[in-house]
Each structure stands twice: as structure tokens, then as C-alpha cells.
Amino acid sequence: MLKHLFWFSSRANRTEKLFWLLILSAFSWLLTLFTPQPMLPLTAARMITWLVVMLLLLPVWWLGITLSVRRLHDMNLSGWWLLGIIILGIFLNLVTMFAFPALAGTVPGIGGLVLSAVFLSVPGTAGANR
């Protein structure tokens, strides 16, 4: 489970995806608890805290990307599908933000939940991938 964690070149089954999804979500949630609120006045301590949080989130984002690509490999799909999914999410967020400002962030959030449900429900292919 830890052998290929930071790399794209293998497969990740549903159990591995669920395990790391829970771990990374809990870590991200805990980090946001200690992040200063954006409404507070900007101080040097807040800037340093934001910098530390961003540096701690970089490996979390990287692990999320590699896990998703490896899960796509397990479903016999190219990892490039993830780029299309990310671009679609950004597009949906922009459209929602300008067309329906009250719903900004909701549509991509629901899309992320649907994507996670797909990743956790579709079984991997047997044998070698193409």
C-alpha cells in the first residue's frame, strides 16, 4: 500500500483508495481547523501560518492526484482522464460562480462526491491493462 504511493505507474484498488481518501480527508480537515480565518487582519503570523498550511497540503494534493490516476489505471483507463475531470470541475465552478453566485462551489463539490463514489464503486479490471 505504501510502495507506490507517490508514483503514477501502478494500480490502486477500491480499498486502497478508500483508506487513503479517509486519511487525506482527515488530515486536510485538521489543517483547516488550525488555519486562520481569511476575514481577520493580515499579520506576519497569519502569513506564516498560511505558508505552512500550503506546504503541508502540497503532499496531500500530490497523493490525491497519484491515487486517482492509479485508480483510473485499475479501471483500465488512462490517467489523462483526471486532467479532463479537473478542467471540467474548474469550468463548472466558473459557470456556477458567474451564473448562480449563491451556489458557487456547490456544483464542483457535488461532482467530487460523485467522482469519489464512482472511484469507490467501479471494480478494477482483471489482468494486465492496455
Side-chain angles (χ1 to χ4, degrees), residues 60-120:
V60 171
W61 291 330
W62 182 255
L63 288 174
I65 290 171
T66 58
L67 261 171
S68 297
V69 168
R70 291 187 306 118
R71 183 68 192 120
L72 285 167
H73 288 171
D74 192 44
M75 296 185 316
N76 205 17
L77 294 170
S78 170
W80 288 104
W81 277 91
L82 185 63
L83 181 62
I85 292 168
I86 290 171
I87 290 171
L88 178 64
I90 291 170
F91 175 74
L92 287 175
N93 195 21
L94 289 174
V95 168
T96 306
M97 187 171 56
F98 290 113
F100 308 102
L103 297 176
T106 306
V107 174
I110 292 170
L113 289 174
V114 169
L115 182 63
S116 292
V118 168
F119 277 169
L120 295 174

Side-chain angles (χ1 to χ4, degrees), residues 5-68:
L5 195 57
F6 289 97
W7 311 112
F8 296 112
S9 63
S10 64
R11 298 166 75 161
N13 60 22
R14 292 181 288 183
T15 307
E16 184 178 358
K17 176 71 175 173
L18 178 62
F19 174 77
W20 286 109
L21 184 67
L22 293 174
I23 296 293
L24 295 177
S25 296
F27 182 74
S28 297
W29 185 75
L30 285 173
L31 273 179
T32 57
L33 281 179
F34 298 109
T35 305
Q37 296 297 319
M39 300 295 186
L40 297 175
L42 188 60
T43 62
R46 278 193 61 228
M47 288 177 59
I48 291 171
T49 304
W50 275 102
L51 180 65
V52 168
V53 167
M54 289 299 122
L55 289 175
L56 288 173
L57 280 177
L58 280 175
V60 171
W61 291 330
W62 182 255
L63 288 174
I65 290 171
T66 58
L67 261 171
S68 297

